[in-house]
Amino acid sequence: MIVAEPRILSEEWKLIGRQERTGTGGVVDLLAIAPDASLVLIELKRNKTPRDVVAQTLDYASWLQELDAEQVRGVYERFRPQRSLEEDFRDRFGHELVEDEINNTHQLVIVAAELDTRTERIVRYLEGWEVPINVVFFQVFSHRDDRLLSRTWLIDPADVQVNASTFVRRDKEPWNGEFYASFGHGANRDWNEAVKHGFISAGGGAWYSRTLKLLERNDRIWVKVPEYGFVGVGRVAGPRQVADEFQIDGHSALDVLKAKHHRDEEDPERREYFVPVQWLHTVGLDEAVPGMFGNQNTVCRPRAPKWRTTVEELKAAFPKVE
């Protein structure tokens, strides 16, 4: 069912492998890729004892972390012969697959109908130490002539996504307290409007908008527009708000802004969400500071040394920072 319709598991991932052998006697049920080129290992709890499935998933994770970009392409070639991972990734997510970002980190997902309390404690313990692991429960119900499928996550996917985005295998270091934010300038949102009215926003799927919940008042964010560079730094002025509720000068933001954003979405997970920002220093796209650290997550708390050095360089490029 998941292979036939992957969106029942998540609308945010693309399946790239199935029944992939680890070389040490194991077989990974499913492998997916996220918009930031991180990988998602999906293990199905079929005829396995609860503790066995967690141990097995962690064992497979040790195989997963060693996959390089070429090996990931090989996994996809076996799953979709004669297809290009780069082309299919671009078609699915709307941006290029950067080789250096492939499998920089990963998530572990166990699919189950139920879980005993001992195994739940183990999973929550691992998550507490920021291991990006989660369990999704599926149950089938009958209603008249219909069969309904329900999906429930053990841990908020936003928390696991955050753990994955900050989980660095070999060079992890303490977070420096500075947030990274990606702003998708284009038809759906406009950087000039974000500067004028004081906000950042994201929408089109929970993967893009949920990490906005990480931000709290007075947090400092460094904003990068993909394909341009860093364009601003500011202080968060309030919590995440859905587009219909976000106000600009006493008016609904969607009545003021000219960019499309994600309006009138029936699915709340696809709606546009805004976070108010008090800008400390901004520049236009033609003055963006290029290169340095990048990440497809809308907001993250990077722990890579490259982020620390990036912030140090940005402080020189944005002298108005307090």
Side-chain angles (χ1 to χ4, degrees):
M1 290 176 63
I2 293 173
V3 172
E5 184 49 71
R7 293 175 187 269
I8 68 173
L9 180 62
S10 173
E11 294 188 354
E12 303 155 7
W13 304 330
K14 173 179 174 58
L15 287 183
I16 63 169
R18 181 184 187 186
Q19 295 292 289
E20 189 67 28
R21 297 190 177 278
T22 65
T24 57
V27 179
V28 173
D29 289 329
L30 296 169
L31 197 63
I33 193 167
D36 62 348
S38 62
L39 300 184
V40 185
L41 187 151
I42 303 159
E43 193 62 19
L44 309 180
K45 182 182 171 293
R46 296 176 300 183
N47 302 319
K48 301 168 188 169
T49 64
R51 288 206 296 178
D52 280 350
V53 73
V54 176
Q56 188 175 61
T57 302
L58 294 174
D59 181 31
Y60 292 168
S62 67
W63 162 82
L64 177 66
Q65 72 171 350
E66 300 300 330
L67 293 184
D68 60 26
E70 192 58 36
Q71 290 172 314
V72 173
R73 291 190 186 94
V75 169
Y76 192 62
E77 170 66 22
R78 290 186 285 275
F79 183 63
R80 291 285 185 262
Q82 310 304 316
R83 300 293 297 269
S84 165
L85 176 60
E86 281 76 7
E87 291 180 6
D88 290 351
F89 181 92
R90 182 174 59 250
D91 290 344
R92 174 67 176 82
F93 298 118
H95 59 263
E96 299 295 329
L97 176 62
V98 179
E99 180 159 336
D100 289 345
E101 296 179 357
I102 297 176
N103 198 25
N104 276 342
T105 186
H106 57 260
Q107 295 186 47
L108 311 175
V109 175
I110 298 170
V111 179
E114 59 183 358
L115 205 65
D116 68 293
T117 56
R118 178 180 298 179
T119 306
E120 180 177 338
R121 287 199 304 270
I122 294 172
V123 172
R124 289 192 181 278
Y125 171 82
L126 293 170
E127 191 271 339
W129 285 95
E130 299 185 348
V131 175
I133 187 170
N134 208 347
V135 181
V136 59
F137 303 97
F138 285 109
Q139 291 185 313
V140 178
F141 301 91
S142 296
H143 177 67
R144 297 177 182 175
D145 295 332
D146 297 325
R147 299 184 72 196
L148 308 177
L149 184 69
S150 72
R151 180 185 68 190
T152 306
W153 293 93
L154 177 64
I155 301 166
D156 186 341
D159 294 337
V160 179
Q161 183 178 335
V162 168
N163 287 347
S165 68
T166 60
F167 191 75
V168 182
R169 295 194 301 267
R170 296 183 178 88
D171 54 358
K172 190 172 181 179
E173 62 176 42
W175 177 48
N176 62 3
E178 307 278 355
F179 283 89
Y180 167 90
S182 177
F183 186 89
H185 172 84
N188 285 326
R189 58 192 64 86
D190 186 280
W191 171 241
N192 295 316
E193 290 191 319
V195 171
K196 179 179 179 180
H197 300 293
F199 68 84
I200 60 172
S201 68
W207 194 90
Y208 298 100
S209 61
R210 67 162 63 107
T211 54
L212 290 171
K213 294 194 297 184
L214 284 174
L215 299 175
E216 297 181 356
R217 188 181 296 274
N218 293 324
D219 286 338
R220 187 159 68 182
I221 58 172
W222 299 86
V223 181
K224 185 175 186 178
V225 173
E227 300 182 8
Y228 288 89
F230 284 90
V231 291
V233 55
R235 292 280 182 187
V236 174
R240 185 187 80 153
Q241 300 176 48
V242 69
D244 296 341
E245 300 173 359
F246 187 67
Q247 298 283 307
I248 295 177
D249 297 329
H251 302 281
S252 170
L254 297 184
D255 292 335
V256 175
L257 301 174
K258 296 180 180 179
K260 292 181 180 179
H261 295 277
H262 289 274
R263 307 166 182 253
D264 304 322
E265 294 280 3
E266 293 184 2
D267 183 353
E269 291 194 343
R270 294 191 56 81
R271 293 174 184 167
E272 191 86 3
Y273 288 82
F274 289 75
V275 170
V277 177
Q278 180 182 0
W279 296 114
L280 303 175
H281 191 165
T282 63
V283 298
L285 297 176
D286 57 344
E287 300 177 274
V289 180
M292 300 187 288
F293 181 87
N295 192 290
Q296 288 293 338
N297 286 277
T298 299
V299 173
C300 66
R301 298 180 298 207
R303 298 191 179 185
K306 188 175 182 180
W307 175 238
R308 173 174 42 80
T309 58
T310 292
V311 171
E312 292 171 356
E313 294 175 12
L314 288 174
K315 287 179 180 178
F318 293 86
K320 297 180 183 178
V321 175
E322 297 176 357

